[in-house]
Amino acid sequence: MGTSKSAPPGPPWTNAIDVHHHVIPEFYVDEIRRLGFASTLPGVDAPEWKMETSLAMMDRQGIRAAVVNIWPGVPPVDAAVGARLARRVNEFLAELVAAHPGRIGAFAVLPLPHVDAALEELAYSMDVLGLDGVGLVTNYGGVYVGDPSLDAFHAEAARRRTPLFVHPTAPPGNPPTFGLPVSLCEFPFETVRLTAQLLYNRTLERHPGLRVILSHGGGGVAYYAARLACGPLIRADLAERLPADPIGYLRRLYGDTAMIGDPHAFTSVRSFAGASRILVGSDFPFMPESFSAQGARFITEHGGFTQDELARIELGNAAELFPRFADHQQEGR
């Protein structure tokens, strides 16, 4: 009698839009190094990337399309140099989108913290190149995205209702790392730092049109949310800086599924965020395809979602944020 073998598992998703998917063109790596930044990728190994590799991974994982980003974007350089690099990157991204209709969207990079240059590039990227949103890092040379000096950018992004995808980067200074990569511990807390700043600067309250996607399920935000709301209990003057419903504002933020597909992290995110604020994220190619597939299967099989909720996570939420993919909404689960 022959020995039967179980079939390999199918794709973890069925019709997903991946909003956390990196592209790493060689010209970008070369230019960053030419500008004097020895490490383009703080705290992580630099993987090889080709568009064909991304598309093959998407096919295997049941990902219909990806909104790609170039991380860590424009380094802290002067406005003119940053603007030139941002323009070259964004035109490259527009070419990728045009070459792969229906499969690829893209987040523009901006020369922050230079607000005037960033506003000019925002307009060009959205109105001329037709990109889908903006990819940000948590801080630009120590200026965090929620800083009041960037308020004109917040106002314009809110007016346009431009999706902002925020990925952590290395914090300023020299935090103790104990010989470990800075990304291992600091990246999740970088997102918490930024979220605290957005909350206590009342950025989310003053600009209700902001649509912010926090990578890695919001980092540690789900765990820290109630603690962040305790500021006035710790120091009374913080009451003047905190919105009336801090948890409500934090629950308006989106998070992706990258690196949270396990029973510990996802339990926290699931208890905090509704299905309408969760998006698919693979973190490819910085995280191996096998890792993201395993996490996706945990979420789809053990997340406690209905089929309608899974359809929102895979496609519906992204279709609302990114009109490019709205015509595929009926082809989901």
Side-chain angles (χ1 to χ4, degrees):
M1 181 180 294
T3 302
S4 62
K5 295 182 179 180
S6 59
W13 305 111
T14 62
N15 197 42
I17 306 296
D18 180 1
V19 306
H20 187 161
H21 194 115
H22 300 282
V23 296
I24 315 166
E26 289 185 11
F27 82 84
Y28 170 75
V29 176
D30 291 343
E31 182 65 12
I32 293 292
R33 289 175 177 161
R34 188 188 70 79
L35 290 171
F37 294 86
S39 173
T40 63
L41 311 168
V44 302
D45 291 334
E48 294 183 1
W49 170 82
K50 294 181 180 179
M51 191 70 249
E52 295 78 11
T53 307
S54 282
L55 292 170
M57 168 269 187
M58 291 160 59
D59 290 340
R60 288 190 294 268
Q61 290 215 33
I63 294 171
R64 170 183 290 280
V67 187
V68 301
N69 72 86
I70 289 182
W71 175 83
V74 179
V77 292
D78 68 50
V81 173
R84 286 195 295 271
L85 178 58
R87 180 63 55 89
R88 186 178 180 190
V89 166
N90 293 333
E91 289 182 340
F92 167 82
L93 291 172
E95 291 171 0
L96 269 189
V97 172
H100 303 281
R103 300 297 316 267
I104 299 296
F107 291 108
V109 302
L110 300 179
L112 288 169
H114 308 291
V115 174
D116 290 344
L119 288 174
E120 182 176 347
E121 190 60 25
L122 173 64
Y124 183 81
S125 297
M126 300 301 110
D127 300 338
V128 179
L129 297 180
L131 299 184
D132 299 276
V134 170
L136 303 171
V137 292
T138 44
N139 80 85
Y140 290 84
V143 179
Y144 278 79
V145 167
D147 193 276
S149 66
L150 306 185
D151 208 51
F153 167 71
H154 303 146
E156 180 63 6
R159 184 189 71 80
R160 289 174 171 270
R161 298 185 64 78
T162 302
L164 306 177
F165 174 78
V166 187
H167 194 287
T169 190
N174 296 296
T177 61
F178 316 112
L180 301 170
V182 68
S183 59
L184 189 65
C185 299
E186 286 293 334
F187 275 21
F189 197 70
E190 266 290 283
T191 304
V192 174
R193 286 188 184 99
L194 172 61
T195 304
Q197 186 189 45
L198 292 170
L199 193 63
Y200 279 89
N201 286 347
R202 304 185 92 145
T203 308
L204 302 173
E205 181 183 42
R206 291 183 295 106
H207 303 291
L210 283 176
R211 301 198 287 178
V212 179
I213 304 165
L214 301 177
S215 59
H216 312 124
V221 170
Y223 178 86
Y224 273 93
R227 184 181 179 97
L228 291 179
C230 288
L233 303 179
I234 297 170
R235 209 177 76 197
D237 66 295
L238 292 178
E240 298 177 0
R241 297 178 54 187
L242 190 66
D245 181 16
I247 298 298
Y249 280 104
L250 294 179
R251 280 185 164 150
R252 295 183 190 181
L253 302 170
Y254 292 85
D256 69 54
T257 61
M259 299 190 71
I260 61 168
D262 66 79
H264 313 296
F266 194 71
T267 298
S268 177
V269 173
R270 180 71 174 92
S271 70
F272 182 74
S276 65
R277 287 295 184 270
I278 300 175
L279 299 155
V280 171
S282 68
D283 212 347
F284 187 81
F286 287 109
M287 294 304 293
E289 179 182 349
S290 58
F291 179 85
S292 62
Q294 180 181 1
R297 286 195 182 91
F298 177 85
I299 291 169
T300 57
E301 296 173 8
H302 304 291
F305 295 110
T306 67
Q307 289 299 303
D308 286 344
E309 287 173 330
L310 282 174
R312 283 201 64 84
I313 292 168
E314 286 202 23
L315 179 61
N317 297 331
E320 291 174 1
L321 290 169
F322 308 107
R324 182 188 308 279
F325 304 115
D327 59 338
H328 299 304
Q329 201 165 0
Q330 300 304 317
E331 301 176 33
R333 289 178 179 264

